[in-house]
Amino acid sequence: MRMRKLKLMVITAVLPVMLFAQNFTAVIEKNASAVNDSVIAWRRFIHQNPELGNREFKTGAFIAAHLRALGIEVKTNVGKTGVVGILKGGKPGPVVALRADMDALPVTERVKIPFASKVMGEYNGQTVGVMHACGHDSHVAILLGTATTLAKMQKDVPGTIVFIFQPAEEGPPGTEEGGAPLMIKEGVMNNPKVDAVFGLHINSQTEIGTIRYKSGSFMASSDWFTIKVKGKSSHGSMPWGGIDPIVVAAQIINGLQTIVSRQEELTKAPVVITVGIIKSGVRANIIPEELTMEGTIRTLDSKMQEDVHERIKTTATKIAEASGATAEVSIDTKTLVTYNDPELVKLMLPSLEKAAGTDHVIASDWTTGAEDFSFFGTKAPAFFFNLGGMPKGMDPKKAAPHHTPDFYIDDSMLDVGVKAFCNIVFDYAKLKK
């Protein structure tokens, strides 16, 4: 008899929580599906009107106007052109931040779609095409859809939601400050104090309706390096009369690859070192005096990141020294490792499964792509995941990569992202009681 009473008490205690979760999951499903046509329209409008980093003036104004129409408190010009919306729910709970990036890239679109970008802009002193070639337009639309859905449910929303619309994720122009670091510097994670932060990224090589995630290190840090090699000029017919910085640079480039293949423990985490720019010389028969090369470093372990920096400096300077030249190395950290808090991932997986279905939430490998969302993770537990944008049945190998003129996503299921964010808001509050 006592055992029956105990079981009844447990069922009585648990049932309201279960009903709470089930009821709001159904409401989220309904409201997010209802807003999907608007999410698609917003995404296509933003796609057709892209703006480069720290220049997202019209995009920011569009976002702010929509948030104000929802009755959400709005802060503008945060981190130059960023917008922050604050929704105070009708129920007590934590402060949860949701982030979307707004900037486009200096890429000329080649995709034949009715809303293709025809916008031109200026980048590094050059006139360039401007395109949302990384899907940030879809991120903005998804977060606007999330804000719309949660505003409609405001009396039931637990805690406070901070909607972060971030500029310059791809990096601010020139020597300007920007991106996540500047928004953090201006207090976006402290006013109000954020308890957990979440973000997503569309992926052109993952099928629509699918979510991919990884606990722990998920995306690589991104460092940009510059190596200046100084030799001695000579006539091209008499190389012995000078010190050829081009030959020295070639040896340095090969030496950098031995850091990857012979010096770092690749079973622990991958490392990538890429030289993308080489500048030297003005004439074919003149050995130049100087050469500058620039490149990127990608690591997925913070200690390896530091070690690679030191090895690059040693490799470049010693190879140059061996040839009688000199080498100066500078390294600029653009992003940190995007680290997904393991406990947060474990807690929130059911939220993603409600949004996409259990079979469509897949544990992924790490990626050597980078994200400045990583900086938000230094201020609060963070979880960043990928949302599929590839048309159903397409071969991922044939899908155009991000940052290319042919980048394309199927935007018909962006509501999966809206559902994921909304479920996260309710479930995180419930689990953190």
Side-chain angles (χ1 to χ4, degrees):
M1 189 69 174
R2 285 184 180 177
M3 185 60 71
R4 287 183 180 178
K5 285 184 179 180
L6 182 61
K7 286 182 178 179
L8 185 60
M9 288 173 65
V10 171
I11 291 171
T12 304
V14 172
L15 190 57
V17 176
M18 292 175 63
L19 289 174
F20 174 88
Q22 291 171 353
N23 286 343
F24 283 111
T25 298
V27 174
I28 289 167
E29 177 77 25
K30 178 183 176 182
N31 290 345
S33 296
V35 81
N36 195 41
D37 286 346
S38 295
V39 171
I40 294 169
W42 295 330
R43 180 257 160 173
R44 294 182 178 186
F45 173 77
I46 295 166
H47 187 90
Q48 201 165 20
N49 298 276
E51 295 174 294
L52 295 171
N54 277 2
R55 305 293 183 268
E56 305 94 337
F57 304 111
K58 294 179 182 178
T59 306
F62 176 79
I63 292 165
H66 183 72
L67 294 179
R68 288 193 183 104
L70 295 172
I72 292 173
E73 178 187 344
V74 175
K75 299 177 182 179
T76 57
N77 303 318
V78 183
K80 293 193 182 291
T81 57
V83 179
V84 178
I86 299 175
L87 177 67
K88 295 178 180 178
K91 301 284 177 68
V95 178
V96 172
L98 306 173
R99 177 271 205 169
D101 38 11
M102 309 189 300
D103 54 323
L105 286 158
V107 174
T108 302
E109 184 157 17
R110 250 190 334 233
V111 185
K112 305 300 181 184
I113 49 177
F115 51 92
S117 170
K118 306 296 183 186
V119 174
M120 302 298 291
E122 184 177 315
Y123 184 77
N124 282 347
Q126 299 182 56
T127 300
V128 295
V130 183
M131 176 190 176
H132 272 291
C134 201
H136 296 185
D137 51 345
S138 62
H139 305 166
V140 171
I142 287 169
L143 195 53
L144 284 176
T146 302
T148 304
T149 302
L150 293 177
K152 192 173 183 180
M153 303 172 69
Q154 185 171 3
K155 66 182 178 63
D156 297 309
V157 169
T160 299
I161 315 305
V162 180
F163 302 97
I164 300 174
F165 293 88
Q166 180 208 308
E169 188 281 326
E170 301 289 355
T175 58
E176 292 182 23
E177 285 188 279
L182 185 56
M183 293 196 87
I184 292 168
K185 182 179 177 180
E186 295 185 3
V188 74
M189 295 291 284
N190 291 323
N191 187 24
K193 178 69 174 174
V194 171
D195 294 300
V197 58
F198 300 88
L200 62 74
H201 204 298
I202 202 79
N203 188 277
S204 67
Q205 295 171 314
T206 297
E207 192 169 87
I208 57 169
T210 299
I211 291 173
R212 291 187 177 273
Y213 73 95
K214 184 183 180 299
S215 183
S217 298
F218 179 37
M219 300 183 73
S221 61
S222 173
D223 303 305
W224 290 11
F225 65 86
T226 300
I227 301 175
K228 294 182 178 180
V229 180
K230 187 170 183 178
K232 182 182 176 183
S233 183
S234 181
H235 195 289
S237 66
M238 296 187 295
W240 52 86
I243 300 171
D244 192 339
I246 293 176
V247 172
V248 172
Q251 293 171 343
I252 290 173
I253 291 169
N254 286 333
L256 296 181
Q257 296 313 310
T258 67
I259 296 173
V260 176
S261 65
R262 291 295 180 270
Q263 298 176 44
E264 292 298 335
E265 189 179 347
L266 298 183
T267 56
K268 183 177 182 181
V271 176
V272 174
I273 302 174
T274 295
V275 175
I277 299 173
I278 299 176
K279 297 177 181 177
S280 186
V282 294
R283 185 177 169 88
N285 66 344
I286 300 174
I287 293 173
E289 187 172 278
E290 295 184 354
L291 176 145
T292 299
M293 68 178 88
E294 299 175 43
T296 187
I297 310 159
R298 304 300 169 104
T299 55
L300 281 133
D301 179 272
S302 57
K303 289 183 179 179
M304 288 178 74
Q305 181 181 16
E306 294 174 6
D307 187 62
V308 169
H309 288 191
E310 292 306 312
R311 290 180 185 275
I312 287 176
K313 292 172 184 176
T314 300
T315 298
T317 56
K318 294 304 181 183
I319 288 176
E321 185 181 325
S323 299
T326 60
E328 296 177 3
V329 181
S330 60
I331 300 175
D332 181 18
T333 294
K334 298 295 185 181
T335 74
L336 308 176
V337 174
T338 300
Y339 184 82
N340 285 332
D341 182 89
E343 180 185 357
L344 192 60
V345 172
K346 185 177 179 181
L347 287 173
M348 294 297 100
L349 273 183
S351 305
L352 303 186
E353 290 170 349
K354 289 175 189 176
T358 304
D359 294 341
H360 297 286
V361 178
I362 302 168
S364 182
D365 295 327
W366 41 34
T367 171
T368 49
E371 248 287 348
D372 80 349
F373 178 85
S374 56
F375 290 101
F376 293 115
T378 66
K379 300 299 180 182
F383 185 12
F384 193 75
F385 54 92
N386 285 341
L387 176 68
M390 184 182 73
K392 282 187 179 292
M394 187 174 184
D395 182 351
K397 293 179 182 178
K398 295 181 180 179
H402 293 236
H403 290 216
T404 67
D406 300 309
F407 173 82
Y408 172 82
I409 64 162
D410 180 337
D411 57 18
S412 63
M413 293 183 71
L414 296 181
D415 59 324
V416 174
V418 176
K419 293 170 189 176
F421 274 157
C422 291
N423 279 306
I424 281 170
V425 166
F426 279 88
D427 293 346
Y428 180 78
K430 181 181 65 179
L431 292 167
K432 282 296 180 179
K433 278 185 179 180

